[in-house]
């Protein structure tokens, strides 16, 4: 889960949080992908809407395929997988490519992004082994660029003040929150560099950054956009035409450009040159209020139209890399460099009048908000150093002009002749009044120790003459560099002194900052470092010059002395010797006071030669370049390219010297608060090799000396590695934070387009599936219609007439039985022995109580009622007391229907089946009183149990529950269906006598009941019905069997 | 937990079963007492059954407008009133109901059963023509002949059938059935007493 660090407390917060969970500070809103369908904001990592599922990213949006791929990537195998869908693409490093990074050496502002998690160890291998997201690789400051696209105000706040005041338009940038432009400009302008790896080692970082590989250099085309500003800036510093003769043509051509072209004094003109170069890259039409456009144009300067493209001279003569250098002046400034001073120098002078809002704006925006310390140092020191240098240069120029400023300078300064004369004639004076007031006012700003021996110049308050922007910057510098001990009586003067000016003087720093500051403008007043830096033959600078400078002559002996500005001489190595060929050098810019704990190892080894200088125009041939500059340039690009000088080694004057330690000690002064002297010394001693250089680097190292570790952290441009050319062919983004950027995947625009969600195609169901579904539905819901054939034979439905015939036949057989007894006389049947025993059991218990059980239902009444009536009549004849009982509810009803005269004495219902029979048995044996529903209870002396039943359970219950427990004799009159069961009990003598069925009852009647024919007539009807049934069964089955044997074709419906 | 809940019924069933068995063998009084309790419980169950039947059909009539439930309730109340009237005033309403309604209906149902059996037997070979059907219908015809009275015209044609076939096969079959039922009853009794069979836990 990605986190967003709070800007206030640096606490990590979950992505998407609106407020810091730790301090409550409002967090920058995260960029969301608005669903085109439901307008739901979704995180950028989603492809489909979390609410409605609509695809947020257009599927067909593929990143442009690189048309060119640098050889370095091919060899290294670093081909980033082309993402099929991404919200948008920022110039980023390759996944896992973090360079030789030691996370422990990272400054806090970079390490803050890794808070809460283990940062990747240096090395691509380790990082490449695990997939690292883009956000992980990119610093939080870069990730925030994506998220706070609409927070221009915040960007402005985070923008360093020095950058703001130098680049008014920079406030329109939206993404330059924490990245200094001088760094990003160099980074973004880097095209594919096949020898990038060697370049980084061969050149000083600042030079490698600036001199990298414009392809146009190889062809010798000098594009104004490609000329490093610092070199252009240096080239424009030619004060006179005499110097131009000795300078390279390309340099002279640049100097010939009218300065008035930049008289417009635009905001860019007022900014630092190297920043102006960046500003020139911005599209002119890009509105300042459109941060995205500015950002994109700033991000891809090569895609925008340079402001000075109409300048043919610069387009032709200046190499691109030279023109794009951050230290080079803008084209407009170059145009104005026909005279001694360039426009940017004039602008620096005019800054108090024209660029006043910029420092004010910078002052309003607190640089302490987000910018790291070293960046703040850069902004203050660098700007102050520039201003000081520029001021010195102007002053020196004016001094050498013998108090008569040239017209061009007056014109550039916007001063009338009187004012100019009043200013520049001060150079004739012996004191500091030889300099302009504003510059003279800066004189006391040197450290107090340096200024202490110097007589206090009688100058008005420096605040009166100094430009405001210098005055605003001065306190910061003093706060940083004013480490010298102030004399007690001079504290007030020291407050007014610009100590930061003193640090510009290495000699002053070498002297511990306590030496007297030489008066500027006079040979004695010149600072020692200026005198040291001055060419040997420019000793005039070291002397007090009271008279006007001689006119500029083409003589070499006077060129550097008179026409060449002192600042150029200052930048030139003191031991170069050959002043004639000394080209303008880039004004060195101080590296800010990087905290020593975060200061990386500075490169001290001379960079090896590299071919990164390919494309240096032929105008920069070694023949026309001074040696000291030649040493900074690399070898010729190759046989196909022009012969150009190549920087092989760092010049000696850039190498640390023995005085660096002293300089550092002088500059650094006492340990800051919170640190003891020992700790401070430890810190100083812990600096990387070249401590003198480090110390000096903190003071005098050029800003371009970006350490490798920092360069390794920079994100790579989208077009880096050859893709920049590809990106140039791609259409620029029209919206979003990357508007104007070419080569980026226009994702947000695609996602923002309202697009209907693709509905799935209607499901097609095959016919087989439809049949299966219908069958399933029929089986589940419509089972009646589902015919489950038993076999394939036709349905053998009996005809209705057959059913009616059978029914009529059965009814006739049963009903006609009594009437047809004579028609179908039955054979005489013999009474079985069980029947005779039945009669004997009744005959032997005459006059005794007999329990007659009527356990049959009315359904059996037709068969059993004649038997029961015959038995009851016999018992009555024998004089037995009859107690009727039944386990059937309808039993008592049957008893009521028996036409017995006299009627039975009592009757009762025995509930509980077996349990009731068990209780009855206990009652019969005398253990309990047998209660009946009648008034007379059952007697205990029952002699016989006569069981009339048609149910098997009743028979078994009476035999097993009552007969077995009471040993009472049981005789049974049962139906023919129960007769087989009763026969079993007859065999076991559990039943004494049995009359089984109508035939036996008829035989019993015929044998023992003479004169009764009821059972005989009933038997005749039953016999007829039975034989009819037998016949029908036989006929029917035979017919059915024969019917089934018929062929199927002849089968009908029956 | 469920096993614990099954233990009390098991103990009661096994205990009373053993006690009844012991009472039947050694102490008939105990057996009679227990069977008296069982009869009382059965009578109470019958009463509760009747009331439950009445309530159910009342609900079905009220909620489901079931007309047959209303007829059943009406018949129940009418029979109860007739029986109460017979016992209270000595009327013959209950016998009349039996004679006029119940007995004819049951006789008609039995006759229809005979008719359905006959019709199914006639079409047996027509619908299911196989050996078992033929054997079944042959045995039915044979035993009908053996059980039916012989017409005088046939004389002693089927006397041997009635004299040997019925006692041999029918009695053997019935005794086998009775023995099987007895063995099953013993087995079931043992299972109940051993707690293997728990119909009261279902």
């Amino acid at each position: 889960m990605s986190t967003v660090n709070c800007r206030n407390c640096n606490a990590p917060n979950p992505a998407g949080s609106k407020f810091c969970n730790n301090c409550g500070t409002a967090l920058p809103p995260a960029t969301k992908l608005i669903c085109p369908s439901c307008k739901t904001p979704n995180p950028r990592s989603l492809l489909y809407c979390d609410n409605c599922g609509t695809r947020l990213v257009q599927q067909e949006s593929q990143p442009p395929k690189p048309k060119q791929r640098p050889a370095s990537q091919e060899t290294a195998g670093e081909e980033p997988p082309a993402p099929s869908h991404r919200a948008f693409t920022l110039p980023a490093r390759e996944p896992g490519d973090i360079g030789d990074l030691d996370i422990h050496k990272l400054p806090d502002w970079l390490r803050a992004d890794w808070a809460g998690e283990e940062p990747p160890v240096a090395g691509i291998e380790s990082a490449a082994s695990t997939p690292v997201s883009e956000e992980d690789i990119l610093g939080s400051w870069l990730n925030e660029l994506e998220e706070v696209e609409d927070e221009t105000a915040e960007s402005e706040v985070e923008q360093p003040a020095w950058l703001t005041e130098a680049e008014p338009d920079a406030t329109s940038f939206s993404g330059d929150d924490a990245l200094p432009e001088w760094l990003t400009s160099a980074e973004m302008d880097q095209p594919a560099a096949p020898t990038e790896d060697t370049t980084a080692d061969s050149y000083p970082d600042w030079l490698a950054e600036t001199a990298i590989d414009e392809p146009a250099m190889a062809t010798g085309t000098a594009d104004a956009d490609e000329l490093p500003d610092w070199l252009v800036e240096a080239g424009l510093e030619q004060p006179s035409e005499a110097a131009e003769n000795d300078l390279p043509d390309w340099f002279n051509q640049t100097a010939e450009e009218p300065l008035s072209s930049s008289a417009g004094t635009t905001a860019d003109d007022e900014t630092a040159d190297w920043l102006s170069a960046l500003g020139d890259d911005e599209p002119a039409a890009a509105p300042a209020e459109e941060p995205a456009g500015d950002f994109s144009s700033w991000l891809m300067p090569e895609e925008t139209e340079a402001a000075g493209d109409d300048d043919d001279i610069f387009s032709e003569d200046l190499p691109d890399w030279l023109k794009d250098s951050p230290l080079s002046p803008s084209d407009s400034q170059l145009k104005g460099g026909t005279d001694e001073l360039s426009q940017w120098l004039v602008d620096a002078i005019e800054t108090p009048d024209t660029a006043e809002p910029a420092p004010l704006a910078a002052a309003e925006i607190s640089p302490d908000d987000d910018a790291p310390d070293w960046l703040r140092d850069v902004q203050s020191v660098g700007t102050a150093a520039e201003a000081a240098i520029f001021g010195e240069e102007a002053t020196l120029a004016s001094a050498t002009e013998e108090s008569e400023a040239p017209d061009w300078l007056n014109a550039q300064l916007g001063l009338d002749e009187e004012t100019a004369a009043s200013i520049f004639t001060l150079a004739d004076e012996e004191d500091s009044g030889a300099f302009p007031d504003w510059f003279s006012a800066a004189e006391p700003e040197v450290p107090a120790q340096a200024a202490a021996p110097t007589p206090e110049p009688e100058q008005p308050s420096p605040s009166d003459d100094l430009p405001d922007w210098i005055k605003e910057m001065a306190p910061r510098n003093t706060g940083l560099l004013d480490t010298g001990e102030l004399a007690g009586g001079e504290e007030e003067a020291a407050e007014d002194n610009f100590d930061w000016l003193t640090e510009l003087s290495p000699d002053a720093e070498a002297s511990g900052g306590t030496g007297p500051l030489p008066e500027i403008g006079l040979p004695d007043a010149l600072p020692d470092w200026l005198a040291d830096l001055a060419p040997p033959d420019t000793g005039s600078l070291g002397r007090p010059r009271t008279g006007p400078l001689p006119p500029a002559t083409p003589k070499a002996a006077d060129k550097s002395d008179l026409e060449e500005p002192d600042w150029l001489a200052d930048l030139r190595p003191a031991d170069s010797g050959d002043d004639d060929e000394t080209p303008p050098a880039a004004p060195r810019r101080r590296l800010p006071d990087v905290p020593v704990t975060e200061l990386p190892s500075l490169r001290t080894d001379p960079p090896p030669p590299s071919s990164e200088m390919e494309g240096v125009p032929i105008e920069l041939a070694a023949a026309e370049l001074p040696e000291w500059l030649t040493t900074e340039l690399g070898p010729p690009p190759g046989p196909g390219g022009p012969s150009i000088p190549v920087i092989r080694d760092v010049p000696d004057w850039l190498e640390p010297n023995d005085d660096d330690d002293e300089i550092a000690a002088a500059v650094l002064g006492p340990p800051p608060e919170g640190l003891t002297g020992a700790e401070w010394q430890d810190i100083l001693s812990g600096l990387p090799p070249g401590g003198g250089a480090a110390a000096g680097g903190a003071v005098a190292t050029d800003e371009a000396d970006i350490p490798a570790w920092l360069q390794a952290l920079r994100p790579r441009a989208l077009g880096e590695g050859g893709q920049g050319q590809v990106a140039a062919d791609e259409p620029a983004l029209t919206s979003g934070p990357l508007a104007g950027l070419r080569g980026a995947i226009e994702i947000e625009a695609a996602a923002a387009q309202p697009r209907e969600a693709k509905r799935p195609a209607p499901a097609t169901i095959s016919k087989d599936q439809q049949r299966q579904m219908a069958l399933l539905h029929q089986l589940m819901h419509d089972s009646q219609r589902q015919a489950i054939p038993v076999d394939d034979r036709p349905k053998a439905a009996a005809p209705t007439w057959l059913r009616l015939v059978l029914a009529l036949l059965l009814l006739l057989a049963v009903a006609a039985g009594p009437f047809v007894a004579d028609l179908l006389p039955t054979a005489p049947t013999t009474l079985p022995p069980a029947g005779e025993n039945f009669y004997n059991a009744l005959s032997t218990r005459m006059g005794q109580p007999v329990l007659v059980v009527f356990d049959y239902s009315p359904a059996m009444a037709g068969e059993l009622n004649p038997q029961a009536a015959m038995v009851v009549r016999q018992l009555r004849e024998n004089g037995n007391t009859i107690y009727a009982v039944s386990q059937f509810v309808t039993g008592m009803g049957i008893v009521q229907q028996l036409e017995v005269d006299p009627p039975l004495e009592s009757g009762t219902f025995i509930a509980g089946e077996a349990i009731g029979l068990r209780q009855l048995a206990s009652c019969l044996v005398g253990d309990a009183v047998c209660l009946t529903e009648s008034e007379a209870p059952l007697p205990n002396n029952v002699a016989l149990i006569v069981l009339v039943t048609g149910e098997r359970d009743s028979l078994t219950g009476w035999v097993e529950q009552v007969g077995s427990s009471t040993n009472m004799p049981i005789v049974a009159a049962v139906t023919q269906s129960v007769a087989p069961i009763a026969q079993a009990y007859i065999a076991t003598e559990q039943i004494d006598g049995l009359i089984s069925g109508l035939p036996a009852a008829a035989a019993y009647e015929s044998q023992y009941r003479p004169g009764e024919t009821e059972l005989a007539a009933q038997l005749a009807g039953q016999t007829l019905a039975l034989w009819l049934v037998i016949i029908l069964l036989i006929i029917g089955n035979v017919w059915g069997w024969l019917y089934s044997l018929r062929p199927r074709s002849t089968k009908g419906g029956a | 937990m469920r096993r614990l809940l099954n233990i009390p019924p098991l103990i009661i069933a096994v205990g009373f079963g053993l006690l009844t068995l012991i009472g039947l063998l050694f102490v008939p009084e105990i057996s009679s007492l227990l069977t008296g309790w069982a009869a009382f419980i059965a009578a109470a169950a019958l009463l509760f059954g009747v009331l439950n039947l009445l309530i159910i059909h009342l609900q079905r009539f009220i909620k489901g407008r079931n007309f047959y439930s209303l007829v059943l309730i009406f018949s129940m109340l009418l029979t109860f009133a007739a029986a109460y009237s017979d016992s209270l005033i000595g009327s013959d309403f209950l016998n009349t109901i039996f004679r006029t309604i119940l007995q004819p209906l049951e006789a008609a149902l039995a006759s229809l059963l005979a008719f359905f059996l006959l019709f199914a037997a006639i079409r047996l070979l027509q619908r299911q023509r196989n050996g078992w059907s033929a054997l079944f219908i042959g045995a039915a015809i044979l035993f009908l002949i053996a059980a039916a009275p012989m017409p005088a015209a046939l004389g002693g044609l089927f006397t041997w059938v009635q004299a040997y076939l019925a006692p041999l096969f029918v009695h053997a079959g019935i005794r086998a059935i009775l023995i099987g039922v007895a063995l099953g009853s013993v087995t079931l009794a043992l299972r109940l007493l051993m707690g293997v069979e728990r119909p009261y836990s279902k």
Side-chain angles (χ1 to χ4, degrees), chain A residues 111-189:
Chain A
R111 280 192 295 186
D113 191 42
W114 304 100
E117 60 183 17
E118 184 66 21
V121 186
I124 300 176
E125 296 78 6
S126 60
S129 59
T130 58
V132 181
S133 62
E134 183 180 357
E135 296 182 357
D136 295 336
I137 296 175
L138 295 178
S140 60
W141 54 274
L142 191 52
N143 291 327
E144 291 177 0
L145 297 180
E146 305 173 6
E147 300 175 354
V148 291
E149 55 181 336
D150 54 347
E151 292 187 357
T152 306
E154 294 185 11
S155 301
E156 294 177 359
V157 171
E158 296 175 1
Q159 187 175 4
W162 62 271
L163 183 61
T164 304
E165 75 177 63
E167 176 63 45
D169 291 341
T171 56
S172 61
F173 293 167
S174 60
D176 50 355
D177 296 341
L179 188 65
E181 291 186 11
W182 59 269
L183 177 60
T184 56
S185 62
E187 293 168 356
M188 298 308 172
D189 293 340

Side-chain angles (χ1 to χ4, degrees), chain A residues 395 398-404 421-436 521-523 544-549:
Chain A
T395 303
S398 63
T400 55
E401 293 287 343
E402 293 292 337
S403 73
E404 184 173 354
S422 62
I423 294 174
F424 290 99
T425 50
L426 294 177
D428 298 335
E429 300 178 4
E430 293 294 330
D431 54 2
S432 61
F435 292 92
L522 296 175
R545 189 179 299 275
T546 58
L549 292 174

Side-chain angles (χ1 to χ4, degrees), chain A residues 793 796-798 803 806-807 810 824-827 857-859 861 865 890 893-894 896-897 915 918-919 922 952 976 980-981 983-984 987 1019 1023 1026-1027 1029-1030 1032-1034 1036-1037 1039-1041 1043-1044, chain B residues 24 31-32 35-39 42 95 98-99 102-103 106-107 110 114-115 118-119 121-127 129 137 141 144-145 147-155 158 170-171 174-175 178 181:
Chain A
R793 293 175 297 179
R803 297 184 182 184
L806 290 177
L810 291 176
L824 185 62
T826 58
S857 63
N865 272 346
T890 57
I894 294 175
Q896 297 292 333
Q897 292 182 0
I915 295 176
R918 191 69 181 182
Q919 283 189 324
S922 301
R952 188 187 71 87
Q976 281 189 300
I981 299 175
Q983 292 292 338
L1019 178 62
T1023 303
L1026 285 176
W1027 282 102
V1029 168
I1030 292 171
L1032 292 175
L1033 287 176
I1034 294 172
N1037 285 279
W1039 178 79
W1041 180 66
Y1043 179 83
S1044 62
Chain B
L24 288 173
S31 176
S32 299
T35 53
W37 292 357
N95 193 20
F98 174 80
R99 214 177 34 249
L102 188 59
Q103 185 175 6
E106 289 194 5
F115 176 79
L118 173 63
F119 194 78
I122 291 173
R123 302 180 60 194
L124 179 62
L125 292 181
Q126 185 180 358
R127 301 296 302 271
R129 188 180 63 252
I137 196 64
I141 294 174
L144 278 176
I145 294 174
M150 285 296 151
L154 296 178
F158 296 99
V170 174
H171 293 175
I174 292 298
R175 289 183 181 183
L178 292 177
V181 170

Side-chain angles (χ1 to χ4, degrees), chain A residues 77 141 685 975 1003:
Chain A
W141 54 274
S685 60
T975 60

Side-chain angles (χ1 to χ4, degrees), chain A residues 231 233-238 247 251 567-568 582-586 628-629:
Chain A
L231 194 55
E233 179 181 356
L236 287 177
E237 302 306 328
Q238 300 302 322
L247 292 176
F251 195 84
W567 64 270
L568 186 58
T582 301
W628 67 273
L629 184 58

